[in-house]
Amino acid sequence: MRLAKRQRSANRTMGRGMLRMAGLFMPAAKETIEMLYRFERDFVLDTRKFSERFGMQATPIEQAIDATVGWYKDQKAARR
């Protein structure tokens, strides 16, 4: 069996300066600049105030990921 030749992707990343320039013509690029902070530093949440106010605890990330992956697997199985 002959496999297709793998081609290099033409996709490249855009730096902050290029995003600013692209933002003049592409609203999505302009909006991306505003959200870059989410990708440049760790995003840490403190749920203490919420837990104190509403008496609920945040779901641990491992448990949330397991539940999400399980849900997707169930959806895929249901389509068969």
Side-chain angles (χ1 to χ4, degrees):
M1 176 200 290
R2 187 173 166 206
L3 298 176
K5 210 176 205 186
R6 191 172 190 167
Q7 295 180 347
R8 293 191 101 179
S9 173
N11 296 335
R12 295 202 171 124
T13 60
M14 295 174 70
R16 189 178 292 269
M18 185 59 83
L19 282 171
R20 287 188 192 282
M21 286 179 49
L24 298 172
F25 309 101
M26 298 168 50
K30 187 175 185 179
E31 294 166 7
T32 300
I33 296 168
E34 185 179 327
M35 302 305 290
L36 280 177
Y37 76 95
R38 297 185 74 187
F39 303 98
E40 294 173 337
R41 291 184 291 281
D42 289 341
F43 195 73
V44 179
L45 296 174
D46 181 4
T47 60
R48 182 178 39 84
K49 288 183 181 179
F50 177 86
S51 296
E52 289 171 0
R53 173 72 169 97
F54 296 103
M56 298 171 61
Q57 297 296 317
T59 304
I61 190 70
E62 295 84 7
Q63 183 182 345
I65 291 171
D66 288 343
T68 302
V69 170
W71 182 87
Y72 275 101
K73 286 180 178 178
D74 292 344
Q75 297 302 308
K76 185 177 180 181
R79 289 185 184 166
R80 292 182 186 173

